[in-house]
Amino acid sequence: MSLAQSDQERHCMMNPLDHEEFRRQGHMIIDFIANYYRDIEKYPVRSQVEPGYLHKRIPENAPYNPEPIETILQDVQNHIVPGLTHWLSPYHFAYYPANASIAASLGEILCTGFNVDGFNWIASPAATELENIVMDWLGKMLELPESFLFSGNGGGVIQGTTGDAVLCTVIAARDQLLNRIGRDNIVKLVVYGSDQTHCSLHKAAKIAGIHPNNVRSVKTTKSKAFALSPDSLRSAIISDKEAGLIPLYLCATVGTTSSGAVDPVGPLCDVAEDYGIWVHIDAAYAGSACICPEFRHFIDGVECANSFSFNPHKWLLTNLDCCCLWVKDPSALVNAFSTDSEYLKNTATDSKQVVDYKDWQVPLTRRFRAIKLWLVLRSYGVVNLRNYLRRHVEMAKHFEGLIAMDKRFEVVVPRKFSLVCFRISPSARVNGCSADDEESTANELNRKLLKSLNDSGRVCMTHAIVGGIYMIRFSIGQPLTDYRHIEMAWKVVQEYTDAMLGTYLK
């Protein structure tokens, strides 16, 4: 570097936290996002770009000289927005919802603005104590037993995702058991779920060192609405014990990803108790609904579980990411994840009177997520949150009614919350095929229908296969979705079905 360059750079020193410049640029960003929400229906719901599109638009190297925010925002509009699938679109019915709200967005601004790293109490006491308080608030809204709350010697922690919650509890259960029976027995440990359990269980088991052959996906059936049968679980456990294996962990689900199925929490806990198995309840999607009294029964029996989690970022107006995990015995997490480096030691920790959340999770660093959840709960209140959830359930019922009026379609599995799983019925095509051929043809028709819908950009949905049936998942839960969007989406489904069946039957 020349002396001239060095001198020039010294004179270009910036102030990256200039408060007036932050105010100016912050207003521009807020206006940009507000306009995005205003115009979101104008965009194709699913991105229409091809792989590698952005490499053709963005320079190979970072700019040497600074660029103004106006230029950067223009590039966001021109180059980034076309590559987004618009999860907040009122026509996004894919996967499960990713919620957002004014309160949570502003909470995120506070979180990033303060930029505290609350890995232990002393690092930012308010971050830790607000998380303690908010997790107890939310636990009470769910009517979790006192044993899951800080007030009852349990406690809650905000993780990033369900994958984090499952991983942490698998590791806690593993260490708790191996400390009693010896580390060499890790090869014998078995974890259980159903064939509908989220794939995060398999990933967590792999990371935790569970042998790949010891992860059980117990088969479910349509006759049981694809819920995990306690009898089937017991049979799998007995078989494993007879083979000299050691049952460790069960993940029961309230609101499975494929179909919204609900595993019977209480009876499964009864089986697990007989064999000393750690029970985790994954209510990532449907847990939000359980703040409503009429849905609370879906988690009956939770008092017998060891841990429980759900994701407010799915359906409780909280921006990504926010997964709430409660445990009855926090020491199981602390014993598994605690660190005791000299540079982390302090008198508050030594007093045993505070929570150090670094010992409740895998990483050391953690964001101040509690502040956005606090803003959501205070800004909307329990009454409005319940009504928000109920409205989506009513929309799902309305969509079911639209399906029922068109005999070419059928609802595949019983709806419990705001997910409707439907398909073109095998009876919608010409007769004369065997039952197997009819199912195979129906699966192919529905696969083609979903591709046409998503390629159109007018709506976005995803699929699942349960019991050999390919079905389309219509998941309602976005903040901007209203009845008119439900009805328009159904018209789009009918329009593409008309065209496809007409072509097929020619």
Side-chain angles (χ1 to χ4, degrees):
M1 180 182 294
S2 69
L3 290 175
Q5 283 178 308
S6 178
D7 186 62
Q8 181 183 17
E9 289 179 357
R10 277 197 298 271
H11 284 86
C12 290
M13 292 299 291
M14 60 180 179
N15 179 0
L17 284 178
D18 178 272
H19 63 278
E20 289 301 337
E21 189 60 21
F22 178 77
R23 192 187 316 276
R24 184 184 77 85
Q25 295 190 29
H27 279 297
M28 294 179 66
I29 295 290
I30 293 295
D31 285 344
F32 182 90
I33 294 297
N35 290 339
Y36 171 71
Y37 292 155
R38 180 195 65 196
D39 300 334
I40 197 167
E41 292 187 40
K42 298 178 182 178
Y43 300 114
V45 186
R46 194 183 70 177
S47 176
Q48 305 294 297
V49 302
E50 296 296 328
Y53 90 99
L54 198 56
H55 291 283
K56 300 173 184 176
R57 302 189 184 194
I58 301 295
E60 290 186 6
N61 299 304
Y64 182 76
N65 291 309
E67 298 180 81
I69 189 65
E70 292 84 355
T71 300
I72 298 170
L73 275 180
Q74 192 60 56
D75 283 349
V76 171
Q77 184 64 56
N78 294 340
H79 304 318
I80 302 302
V81 171
L84 299 178
T85 288
H86 300 283
W87 282 68
L88 290 176
S89 168
Y91 292 108
H92 188 281
F93 304 105
Y95 308 106
Y96 276 131
N99 266 199
S101 64
I102 295 169
S105 297
L106 297 181
E108 275 289 332
I109 292 176
L110 287 173
C111 173
T112 56
F114 291 141
N115 201 39
V116 300
D117 187 352
F119 50 80
N120 61 12
W121 182 88
I122 199 67
S124 240
T128 294
E129 295 197 13
L130 185 62
E131 189 159 334
N132 297 166
I133 292 166
V134 167
M135 290 300 291
D136 268 10
W137 277 10
L138 199 48
K140 291 173 184 175
M141 288 165 60
L142 288 162
E143 297 184 21
L144 293 182
E146 189 78 8
S147 55
F148 277 111
L149 308 182
F150 284 105
S151 56
N153 297 319
V157 56
I158 302 177
Q159 305 276 359
T161 68
T162 295
D164 297 327
V166 172
L167 175 60
C168 286
T169 52
V170 167
I171 290 174
R174 178 201 69 187
D175 284 8
Q176 193 176 66
L177 182 57
L178 292 181
N179 286 341
R180 295 201 309 267
I181 66 174
R183 290 276 167 178
D184 291 345
N185 286 298
I186 190 171
V187 296
K188 299 179 181 179
L189 301 183
V190 185
V191 302
Y192 300 87
S194 79
D195 56 6
Q196 304 299 309
T197 301
H198 194 268
C199 60
S200 60
L201 177 62
H202 292 262
K203 182 179 287 190
K206 182 186 295 187
I207 296 170
I210 305 301
H211 195 286
N213 292 340
N214 291 353
V215 181
R216 302 285 175 261
S217 296
V218 181
K219 184 176 176 57
T220 60
T221 63
K222 188 173 183 179
S223 65
K224 299 286 186 180
F226 299 103
L228 176 57
S229 161
D231 290 339
S232 298
L233 173 64
R234 187 180 294 276
S235 295
I237 293 170
I238 291 172
S239 177
D240 286 331
K241 285 184 69 65
E242 289 174 349
L245 299 176
I246 303 170
L248 171 70
Y249 180 99
L250 166 66
C251 182
T253 308
V254 177
T256 60
T257 300
S258 293
S259 65
V262 175
D263 293 338
V265 173
L268 290 172
C269 286
D270 291 341
V271 174
E273 185 179 12
D274 290 343
Y275 302 96
I277 295 173
W278 180 298
V279 180
H280 177 71
I281 309 302
D282 168 18
Y285 155 64
S288 294
C290 294
I291 71 168
C292 301
E294 64 269 31
F295 298 117
R296 172 56 177 77
H297 67 93
F298 286 113
I299 60 171
D300 282 354
V302 67
E303 64 276 4
C304 298
N306 299 83
S307 52
F308 174 90
S309 66
F310 89 104
N311 297 350
H313 68 228
K314 277 188 166 61
W315 199 15
L316 203 64
L317 289 176
T318 305
N319 297 39
L320 288 161
D321 52 8
C322 185
C323 171
C324 294
L325 166 67
W326 289 266
V327 291
K328 279 183 177 177
D329 180 10
S331 69
L333 290 176
V334 173
N335 292 338
F337 296 106
S338 64
T339 51
D340 193 31
S341 300
E342 182 62 33
Y343 53 79
L344 296 176
K345 292 180 178 178
N346 62 87
T347 56
T349 296
D350 291 342
S351 75
K352 308 294 185 184
Q353 300 299 306
V354 299
V355 171
D356 288 343
Y357 273 126
K358 69 180 178 63
D359 300 332
W360 294 48
Q361 61 178 31
V362 174
L364 176 69
T365 298
R366 65 193 328 270
R367 302 177 68 242
F368 191 4
R369 296 186 185 97
I371 199 165
K372 67 180 171 185
L373 191 53
W374 188 52
L375 261 69
V376 168
L377 298 181
R378 292 190 64 187
S379 297
Y380 305 119
V382 176
V383 63
N384 283 324
L385 291 171
R386 285 175 174 170
N387 289 335
Y388 170 77
L389 296 160
R390 287 166 176 151
R391 183 168 171 78
H392 287 147
V393 174
E394 290 303 314
M395 288 183 199
K397 292 178 182 177
H398 180 64
F399 188 71
E400 279 185 312
L402 296 174
I403 294 172
M405 290 189 289
D406 190 328
K407 300 306 179 185
R408 297 174 299 175
F409 295 88
E410 65 180 4
V411 174
V412 179
V413 295
R415 179 201 53 76
K416 290 183 173 63
F417 305 103
S418 64
L419 171 67
V420 180
C421 299
F422 72 100
R423 67 168 178 166
I424 299 173
S425 170
S427 63
R429 56 170 301 281
V430 289
N431 296 321
C433 296
S434 68
D436 288 343
D437 287 341
E438 284 187 355
E439 285 296 340
S440 176
T441 301
N443 285 349
E444 185 59 26
L445 282 173
N446 283 285
R447 188 176 289 110
K448 290 179 178 178
L449 173 60
L450 181 62
K451 184 179 187 306
S452 297
L453 293 170
N454 288 336
D455 287 350
S456 76
R458 297 163 69 184
V459 294
C460 186
M461 304 175 203
T462 46
H463 79 282
I465 299 177
V466 293
I469 296 173
Y470 184 102
M471 61 187 187
I472 300 173
R473 300 172 67 263
F474 192 83
S475 175
I476 302 169
Q478 301 298 1
L480 296 172
T481 300
D482 208 339
Y483 282 93
R484 68 181 178 87
H485 302 107
I486 304 299
E487 292 172 0
M488 180 56 71
W490 179 241
K491 288 179 181 177
V492 173
V493 170
Q494 290 182 306
E495 175 186 328
Y496 280 91
T497 300
D498 290 343
M500 191 176 66
L501 289 181
T503 300
Y504 182 83
L505 293 174
K506 283 180 181 177

